[in-house]
Amino acid sequence: MLHLRLIVPADRTEEVVRTIESTVGTAHLAVLSGAARNPVGDLVLCDVAREAGDELIAELRAIGLDRDGSIAVDHIDLSISKRADKAEAEAPGEGADAVLWESLTDATHEESTLSITYVAFLAVATMLAACGVMLDNAILIVGAMAVGPEFGPLAGISTALVRRAPRLVGRSLLALVVGFASAMLLTAGFGWLMEVLGLFDKSMIEAPRPNTAFIFRPDWMSFVVAFLAGIAGTLSLTSAKSGALIGVAISVTTVPAAANAAMAFSYQDYGQTWGSSWQLLANLAGIVLSGTLTLLAQKALWASQRKRQLP
């Protein structure tokens, strides 16, 4: 279930209440007249089944409530109520299959913002991966994969393509390009410092490295793994099962590929630089493609499911 907290201009409260009451899957409606102060208006509270949430939010936005009032949505972890059970049973479809497009757009918008924190996480992850590739240590590579925040902008691109939001595409691309460029530049500087300290040397990048050689030797399996990870990551976002994102993060070699490209370039090993760059691009393309196709499939399947169940 979802909990909606609405601030409504007094002259539109009745319209909002009618909209909520006419939406299948709602319960626990409450109206507090004159309770809101900024902006001034009434406070309207209600619960709605997740599978009916996107439709109700869209109708409230059509009324202009997002412009003249406020729409806040919380996820209810536990609701002990027969009315809530009845609302979920009446709502068409299954809550686990429903996509809250407004929530998804908002989440990916936030995750794809180019910020100091985002660049710092990506840079630290790339430096960890640099240690992994130089030491041929698979554990460090896995750790770097888990730290990397790059799935946010990739999900943002997929969401923007499905929702036809060019500004979100531009924002996500900016975060990816500037983020990876900054991380690779900082990693090259980190590599120089490690060489000065005697911890890195050229022989390490030229060694066979059986545990991490896959990073600069891309093949079709690299794309397949990224494609499957993109599906899992998108399903995780749309179903609010964020724990699965950890598995997605350690399935793709975006950050390790960027790290190896930076280190190989600094040691003038252009063969590895090229191979790692292709590995990075293959993973990015696979995730964006599968994420977009997954969202399109979810959109089509949900529309078909609702059409079958509605009278």
Side-chain angles (χ1 to χ4, degrees), residues 43-174:
L43 182 62
V44 179
L45 308 172
C46 74
D47 295 340
V48 60
R50 178 183 171 86
E51 50 269 42
D54 194 64
E55 178 186 356
L56 178 56
I57 293 171
E59 291 182 1
L60 293 173
R61 293 197 65 181
I63 295 173
L65 196 57
D66 58 323
R67 181 184 64 252
D68 302 322
S70 170
I71 304 172
V73 182
D74 293 320
H75 291 271
I76 300 175
D77 293 327
L78 176 63
S79 179
I80 304 175
S81 166
K82 289 185 177 180
R83 291 183 180 273
D85 295 340
K86 183 174 182 291
E88 289 187 317
E90 291 176 346
E94 294 293 333
D97 297 332
V99 179
L100 296 176
W101 292 102
E102 295 294 340
S103 176
L104 179 62
T105 301
D106 183 70
T108 52
H109 182 277
E110 181 179 348
E111 292 295 326
S112 61
T113 299
L114 181 62
S115 63
I116 294 175
T117 301
Y118 168 80
V119 174
F121 265 113
L122 191 56
V124 170
T126 310
M127 291 177 193
L128 282 171
C131 294
V133 297
M134 296 297 283
L135 298 174
D136 193 32
N137 189 315
I139 296 176
L140 290 177
I141 295 296
V142 172
M145 290 175 173
V147 173
E150 73 281 4
F151 188 80
L154 294 171
I157 294 174
S158 297
T159 303
L161 290 175
V162 174
R163 301 217 71 188
R164 300 179 183 178
R167 292 184 63 182
L168 182 55
V169 172
R171 187 187 190 94
S172 301
L173 283 173
L174 179 66

Side-chain angles (χ1 to χ4, degrees), residues 8-297:
V8 186
D11 60 343
R12 282 192 243 170
T13 299
E14 288 302 320
E15 183 182 8
V16 168
V17 169
R18 285 196 303 270
T19 300
I20 294 172
E21 290 178 333
S22 64
T23 301
V24 177
T26 59
H28 310 144
L29 175 62
V31 179
L32 304 178
S33 299
R37 293 291 181 266
N38 183 20
V40 175
D42 300 333
L43 182 62
V44 179
L45 308 172
C46 74
D47 295 340
V48 60
R50 178 183 171 86
E51 50 269 42
D54 194 64
E55 178 186 356
L56 178 56
I57 293 171
E59 291 182 1
L60 293 173
R61 293 197 65 181
I63 295 173
L65 196 57
D66 58 323
R67 181 184 64 252
D68 302 322
S70 170
I71 304 172
V73 182
D74 293 320
H75 291 271
I76 300 175
D77 293 327
L78 176 63
S79 179
I80 304 175
S81 166
K82 289 185 177 180
R83 291 183 180 273
D85 295 340
K86 183 174 182 291
E88 289 187 317
E90 291 176 346
E94 294 293 333
D97 297 332
V99 179
L100 296 176
W101 292 102
E102 295 294 340
S103 176
L104 179 62
T105 301
D106 183 70
T108 52
H109 182 277
E110 181 179 348
E111 292 295 326
S112 61
T113 299
L114 181 62
S115 63
I116 294 175
T117 301
Y118 168 80
V119 174
F121 265 113
L122 191 56
V124 170
T126 310
M127 291 177 193
L128 282 171
C131 294
V133 297
M134 296 297 283
L135 298 174
D136 193 32
N137 189 315
I139 296 176
L140 290 177
I141 295 296
V142 172
M145 290 175 173
V147 173
E150 73 281 4
F151 188 80
L154 294 171
I157 294 174
S158 297
T159 303
L161 290 175
V162 174
R163 301 217 71 188
R164 300 179 183 178
R167 292 184 63 182
L168 182 55
V169 172
R171 187 187 190 94
S172 301
L173 283 173
L174 179 66
L176 277 177
V177 173
V178 175
F180 270 110
S182 301
M184 293 170 74
L185 183 63
L186 290 170
T187 299
F190 170 74
W192 173 81
L193 177 62
M194 294 292 280
E195 185 175 28
V196 170
L197 295 174
L199 299 174
F200 284 176
D201 60 65
K202 189 174 182 179
S203 64
M204 298 172 75
I205 199 74
E206 294 175 342
R209 293 185 288 157
N211 293 323
T212 56
F214 68 93
I215 293 171
F216 54 89
R217 293 174 183 168
D219 54 24
W220 277 106
M221 280 304 300
S222 302
F223 182 84
V224 170
V225 170
F227 190 89
L228 294 175
I231 295 174
T234 302
L235 290 174
S236 173
L237 286 177
T238 57
S239 64
K241 296 183 182 298
S242 58
L245 283 176
I246 300 298
V248 172
I250 60 177
S251 297
V252 291
T253 53
T254 48
V255 166
N260 198 74
M263 296 305 302
F265 185 81
S266 65
Y267 284 112
Q268 299 180 338
D269 189 333
Y270 301 122
Q272 283 196 44
T273 302
W274 183 250
S276 299
S277 298
W278 270 112
Q279 179 75 270
L280 175 61
L281 291 174
N283 277 269
L284 295 178
I287 292 173
V288 171
L289 178 60
S290 63
T292 303
L293 292 176
T294 300
L295 289 175
L296 287 172

